[in-house]
Amino acid sequence: MTATESTASRAAEILSRPVELGGLSVPNRIAMAPMTRMFSPGGVPGEDVVSYYARRAAAGVGLIVTEGTYVGHDSAGESDRVPRFHGEEQLAGWAKVAAAVHEAGGRIVPQLWHIGMTRRPEARLNPGAPAMGPSGIRVGRDGESQDGHTMTARDLDDVIAAFADSAAAAERIGFDGVELHGAHGYLIDQFLWERTNRRADGHGGDHVARTRFAAEIVAAVRAAVSPGFPVVFRYSQWKSDAYDARLAETPQHLEAILAPLSAAGVDAFHASTRRYWLPEFDGSDLNLAGWTKKLTGKPTITVGSVGLDGDFIRSFAGEGFAARGIDDLLDRLERDEFDMVAVGRALLQDPEWAAKVLAGRFDELAAYDPAALRTLS
């Protein structure tokens, strides 16, 4: 990637500004996006995970959002190599991660996760635990099936408590906040989406009713941590197996979804898109994070193929990309469309991405190459 002297100086000035998320001061506008790695046997993050996050914090990432971590519920996940955010050994490993990131000058929040109906029958973690969701509906690329467990009132209470317990643990072991994974077709998102939530009780129905479970999790987490401990909520329109899915077709629908979450205690929203530069609704250039900030007044984080010239989904097929310029990103940050930018695969490819961009060393940024990421170091 090449850049003019003007772009380099703008990047240094705009991205270096500190920002407040709830009671947390973040030193700059660059976040590390959460990316599942499965490098934690037994759900325990080891020394390699410590160095992985600390290396990026030392290179200038202001806020690290960890890979998704399972909350303490038997059906929360499926892989024994995905880290968990419960259990003595697991939390001891995460405490080392947080300490190393702080020593490197960064801030860090864990992403708390329950996968819901995406849990497969052959799951190795807690075999026999059922996949569960609002209506037991599984949506895949080949259609949908109703082969899961429809959550009871007791199930709802247990999952809400699991999120609250993990959030309290995060504060106790030294993290700077938490992010709740409400995106991409996982459990919380399954309640938000009309295709997977067909309940006839108070947790199903219209746009507002479908937010009830998510808002209850937010409220429980908010009550479990200190007032200044930020709660970030990540959400998306698209789903992992339904890229064209939409929670909201209009800004009015989006406002109806976000308002209960904001009122329940969300301090900042992380709006996940596949391409951050695309407008979310007709008649406006605002992307999803921009609309979220406009509708809620809360700080927002944008994400979606930052630093790449193509859709990150294509990387799963082994496709590489050239680096993409960030002039449009800087323009949006400069006019406060959103507050932070989360960088995923570009930062995975190059741990020094933030340092290079903040210093204007755009010519040193490498093109994205999936084959080079096998060690994810």
Side-chain angles (χ1 to χ4, degrees):
M1 180 194 298
T2 59
T4 65
E5 183 176 341
S6 173
T7 297
S9 62
R10 286 182 71 218
E13 177 185 354
I14 294 169
L15 292 172
S16 294
R17 294 179 300 168
V19 62
E20 299 290 322
L21 302 181
L24 177 66
S25 180
V26 181
N28 62 46
R29 301 301 176 109
I30 299 174
M32 180 176 181
M35 291 172 283
T36 299
R37 304 174 65 236
M38 295 191 290
F39 277 23
S40 298
V44 179
E47 292 301 322
D48 58 329
V49 178
V50 173
S51 62
Y52 167 78
Y53 287 116
R55 182 181 182 188
R56 285 156 178 84
V61 175
L63 176 68
I64 287 173
V65 183
T66 74
E67 61 210 283
T69 67
Y70 297 149
V71 296
H73 185 264
D74 284 351
S75 296
E78 62 180 7
S79 171
D80 193 44
R81 295 183 59 83
V82 168
R84 297 168 223 164
F85 217 86
H86 62 95
E88 184 176 351
E89 190 177 2
Q90 289 82 2
L91 293 176
W94 279 119
K96 293 179 182 178
V97 173
V101 167
H102 290 157
E103 186 175 354
R107 309 288 186 270
I108 184 168
V109 301
Q111 186 186 74
L112 306 182
W113 190 23
H114 192 302
I115 70 173
M117 282 301 303
T118 67
R119 177 179 162 89
R120 293 169 293 188
E122 66 272 19
R124 294 180 135 187
L125 180 63
N126 300 324
M132 59 174 59
S135 303
I137 295 171
R138 189 188 309 273
V139 174
R141 291 185 176 87
D142 298 326
E144 64 181 50
S145 59
Q146 192 163 5
D147 60 358
H149 171 70
T150 296
M151 293 175 71
T152 65
R154 174 63 182 272
D155 295 326
L156 299 179
D157 289 343
D158 288 347
V159 170
I160 291 168
F163 274 94
D165 288 346
S166 288
E171 184 172 25
R172 185 174 67 249
I173 66 175
F175 277 74
D176 299 299
V178 292
E179 176 171 284
L180 308 179
H181 196 342
H184 306 163
Y186 297 112
L187 181 65
I188 296 175
D189 193 22
Q190 288 161 20
F191 274 83
L192 298 175
W193 193 26
E194 62 181 354
R195 189 170 171 188
T196 45
N197 184 349
R198 301 179 189 174
R199 297 175 74 97
D201 62 7
H203 289 89
D206 63 12
H207 288 86
V208 176
R210 293 198 302 273
T211 68
R212 180 178 170 185
F213 179 61
E216 288 173 342
I217 290 176
V218 172
V221 166
R222 179 77 277 157
V225 299
S226 300
F229 193 72
V231 177
V232 181
F233 189 90
R234 194 181 210 215
Y235 82 100
S236 67
Q237 299 258 46
W238 66 279
K239 320 302 170 197
S240 297
D241 287 318
Y243 298 152
D244 59 349
R246 296 181 69 80
L247 296 179
E249 294 292 345
T250 68
Q252 292 74 27
H253 285 165
L254 184 61
E255 185 173 23
I257 294 166
L258 298 177
L261 302 175
S262 183
V266 170
D267 294 295
F269 288 93
H270 189 172
S272 177
T273 56
R274 293 169 63 196
R275 307 172 185 90
Y276 79 86
W277 55 87
L278 295 181
E280 192 58 38
F281 301 111
D282 292 340
S284 170
D285 291 333
L286 292 177
N287 71 3
L288 188 62
W291 273 109
T292 302
K293 182 173 183 177
K294 179 177 181 178
L295 294 171
T296 68
K298 298 291 180 75
T300 59
I301 304 169
T302 195
V303 68
S305 302
V306 174
L308 307 177
D309 71 348
D311 188 331
F312 76 91
I313 296 294
R314 286 163 42 204
S315 69
F316 297 136
E319 297 184 37
F321 306 111
R324 172 186 170 88
I326 62 169
D327 286 282
D328 60 336
L329 180 69
L330 298 177
D331 291 341
R332 292 165 182 258
L333 280 167
E334 196 166 35
R335 60 178 179 255
D336 293 323
E337 180 176 334
F338 39 73
D339 299 277
M340 295 193 72
V341 54
V343 183
R345 282 165 174 76
L347 187 56
L348 197 61
Q349 168 85 34
D350 186 353
E352 303 289 320
W353 189 92
K356 291 174 181 178
V357 169
L358 289 169
R361 293 153 44 203
F362 289 83
D363 57 335
E364 298 180 24
L365 295 172
Y368 175 73
D369 177 12
L373 302 181
R374 289 171 185 162
T375 59
L376 303 179
S377 60

